[in-house]
Amino acid sequence: MTRGRFITVEGLEAAGKSTHTGYLAELLRDGGIDPVVTREPGGTAFAEQVRQLVLDCKNAGIDPLAESLLMFAARRQHLKDTIEPALSEGTWVRCERVTDATVAYQRGAPAVPETTLGRLVELVHPQLQPDLTIYLDVPVAVSLRRTRARGEELDRIETEGAKFFDRVRTTYLRMGRELPRFRLVDSDRPSKDVRRDLNGIMRELLESAR
């Protein structure tokens, strides 16, 4: 049986991940593929509880390494219960954020060295990397403006300032230059323009899988 493809979507807060990841799933279904749609942190009951812990503003003083260990614990369970079984059965998986986000956001602090995060990757998923990562890029000022325009209570990460998110974005852009699986999409445009790019990316992926 052919292994399924693993597609991830990354980006800053309010970059359009939730909006456009739903559209990506529609494109896959139109191409005859019914993907598993999931997210991180989350995707299992345990991982969703970790998500609540990590994003709770009451935990603002959490040690950065403790936070990373929580994220990788949630990821391990997510991989074991949801992602790996689906891929093994030939099902495609579309996940909103994965380890790239942990690396980028820890560099935003900066707190946990990438060498330490690399050891956690080797422990939790040494053989698994996304087949395709779509990075929805917006300037930090746009991310902050969109986040606050929602009018919702901010979570712990969303309360961080521009300097933090500048470092996060810089790390993402660096990964985009270094990792061939990254595809950068300018998400500071009307949705129709973003979706046109996503259409092209998905068309290429579907054709390569035939």
Side-chain angles (χ1 to χ4, degrees):
M1 178 180 293
T2 303
R3 187 174 176 82
R5 299 294 181 93
F6 186 25
I7 304 166
T8 59
V9 182
E10 300 281 352
L12 297 181
E13 318 310 300
K17 295 182 300 300
S18 297
T19 299
H20 296 305
T21 49
Y23 181 63
L24 287 173
E26 291 178 18
L27 292 175
L28 290 173
R29 293 187 187 102
D30 289 344
I33 293 172
D34 189 18
V36 169
V37 176
T38 188
R39 69 175 183 176
E40 287 208 352
T44 68
F46 169 73
E48 290 292 340
Q49 291 179 59
V50 173
R51 181 186 184 90
Q52 292 178 21
L53 282 172
V54 170
L55 297 182
D56 192 335
C57 289
K58 295 177 183 177
N59 296 322
I62 186 173
D63 176 76
L65 180 56
E67 179 183 353
S68 291
L69 292 170
L70 281 171
M71 294 292 287
F72 275 95
R75 183 164 297 131
R76 173 65 179 177
Q77 201 66 44
H78 189 202
L79 290 167
K80 180 176 181 294
D81 290 353
T82 304
I83 295 175
E84 279 286 10
L87 294 174
S88 297
E89 292 172 0
T91 302
W92 290 34
V93 176
R94 190 241 66 197
C95 187
E96 183 178 326
R97 286 185 170 159
V98 73
T99 301
D100 295 321
T102 304
V103 173
Y105 277 74
Q106 285 294 357
R107 298 315 298 155
V112 180
E114 285 194 45
T115 53
T116 300
L117 297 175
R119 290 200 294 271
L120 291 174
V121 169
E122 286 299 311
L123 180 65
V124 172
H125 57 96
Q127 304 301 323
L128 179 65
Q129 292 293 335
D131 296 289
L132 169 70
T133 297
I134 297 173
Y135 171 59
L136 298 172
D137 184 53
V138 295
V140 170
V142 172
S143 170
L144 294 174
R145 185 178 70 247
R146 287 182 182 177
T147 299
R148 283 154 179 74
R150 291 170 175 168
E152 301 173 357
E153 183 177 354
L154 301 182
D155 64 36
R156 186 176 68 87
I157 302 300
E158 291 169 342
T159 60
E160 296 284 357
K163 288 184 179 180
F164 172 88
F165 288 111
D166 277 332
R167 290 190 290 264
V168 174
R169 185 179 184 228
T170 296
T171 304
Y172 269 131
L173 292 173
R174 190 201 72 202
M175 288 191 286
R177 292 190 298 271
E178 295 176 352
L179 300 174
R181 62 179 165 84
F182 259 71
R183 296 292 299 273
L184 188 149
V185 175
D186 180 1
S187 196
D188 186 22
R189 296 178 297 163
S191 289
K192 64 180 180 62
D193 296 328
V194 176
R195 292 188 172 192
R196 183 179 60 247
D197 287 356
L198 296 178
N199 266 297
I201 293 169
M202 286 296 99
R203 186 163 51 250
E204 290 177 11
L205 184 63
L206 288 166
E207 288 176 355
S208 70
R210 289 174 182 158

